[in-house]
Amino acid sequence: MPQLTLVQAVTLGLQQEMERDDRVVVLGEDVGKNGGVFRATEGLQARFGEDRVVDTPLAESGIMGSAIGLAMAGMRPIPEIQFEGFLGPAYDQLVNHAARYRTRSRGAITVPLTVRVPVGGGIHAPELHSDSPESIYAHTPGLKVVMPSTPYDAKGLLISAIRDPDPVVFFEPKRIYRAFREEVPEEEYTIPIGEAKIVAEGTDLTIVSWGATVHQCMEAMDDLPEDVSVELIDLRTIYPIDVDTIAASVEKTGRCVIVHEAPKTAGMGAEIATLIQERCFLSLQAPVQRVTGFDTVMPYYKLELDYLPDAKRIGKAVAECLNY
């Protein structure tokens, strides 16, 4: 079984789905000859040709509109948006068209497209290249939103997204594209969209996170006293959210800390805290804590690491929650 990075797992998933289904096409800026800005599509144009791996003009709205048309015509397009900040120009097409066609057509037309988007900070990129906008798209009915934290999950979730009958926004945490390797099966497999993963079982407190910050949570857990038992949940799918797994854990532990990169206000942490309040109020032994980015524009690289949640901030929140 090969040891792959997250971006290599994405490439393998794309390759295998293109081999399995000739309706699968990739389109985006520099995805062909150059293999994409992060090289996730490297080698695919040489293997499948320019008709299935299409270099597009620098026009995100056009990329998304073309992908919607292809999907409505029966294809399985995978548009790549180079950085999450550039989803803005494609917002109208994605939110006002792709997300609504199933309802608009009373189920007669679906839009099976998978929008791949590198997301988040940590690589010293400039403005518009380091944001975490998952809550914006999770707030849009008709869209599914996915964010893996490991190479294994990236491949399985990507294949599920490509085979999904509706539009999926597939966020790829760019700072862990090549941060570590993991065994990834060569054969095809899927991971159901909408199912969270319990990374570590525990009884004293629940941590809920997703994407790159899952690894900062694991780092924080390594520094906790040996007699503290923490359950770590990797959400994997931002929407539809696996509230049953979260609720079952919090009903067991009575305490919860939510960790994400995005700004605090109206982030997914607020939604999860409310779901816990609705489902687990009588089980709570302490207020739900949030460790997040700050309510400011993502700073330039010298302050970038001060913005991102780290093990120290997570450990402090865990201690406060345990000692409440």
Side-chain angles (χ1 to χ4, degrees), residues 81-133:
I81 303 296
Q82 289 191 333
F83 292 89
E84 70 292 315
F86 304 152
L87 265 178
Y91 182 87
D92 175 54
Q93 293 287 352
L94 181 60
V95 170
N96 292 331
H97 299 293
R100 294 169 183 255
Y101 255 104
R102 177 183 282 277
T103 301
R104 186 178 292 162
S105 66
R106 303 296 187 266
I109 300 173
T110 61
V111 183
L113 65 82
T114 301
V115 189
R116 292 186 42 252
V117 192
V119 71
I123 65 165
H124 300 333
E127 188 183 12
L128 299 176
H129 294 66
S130 303
D131 296 324
S132 298

Side-chain angles (χ1 to χ4, degrees), residues 272-308:
I272 294 168
T274 302
L275 290 170
I276 290 171
Q277 185 272 140
E278 290 174 345
R279 290 280 297 265
C280 316
F281 182 72
L282 296 178
S283 300
L284 285 174
Q285 300 179 48
V288 176
Q289 297 260 4
R290 287 178 286 169
V291 182
T292 70
F294 298 100
D295 291 339
T296 180
V297 174
M298 183 72 167
Y300 289 121
Y301 65 91
K302 286 186 177 179
L303 293 174
E304 187 179 40
L305 297 182
D306 292 324
Y307 176 95
L308 298 172

Side-chain angles (χ1 to χ4, degrees), residues 6 32 36 90 96 153 181 195 232 238 267 281 322:
L6 195 151
N96 292 331
D153 284 357
R181 293 177 179 271
E195 289 189 11
L232 174 59
I238 312 302
F281 182 72
L322 287 170

Side-chain angles (χ1 to χ4, degrees), residues 21 23-25 67-79 98 101-102 109-115 142 144 160-168:
D21 186 348
R23 297 175 302 167
V24 177
V25 296
I68 292 169
L70 288 166
M72 292 171 65
M75 303 294 284
R76 295 272 170 169
I78 307 173
Y101 255 104
R102 177 183 282 277
I109 300 173
T110 61
V111 183
L113 65 82
T114 301
V115 189
K144 297 182 177 75
S160 292
I162 296 169
R163 297 179 186 181
D164 196 279
D166 292 302
V168 178

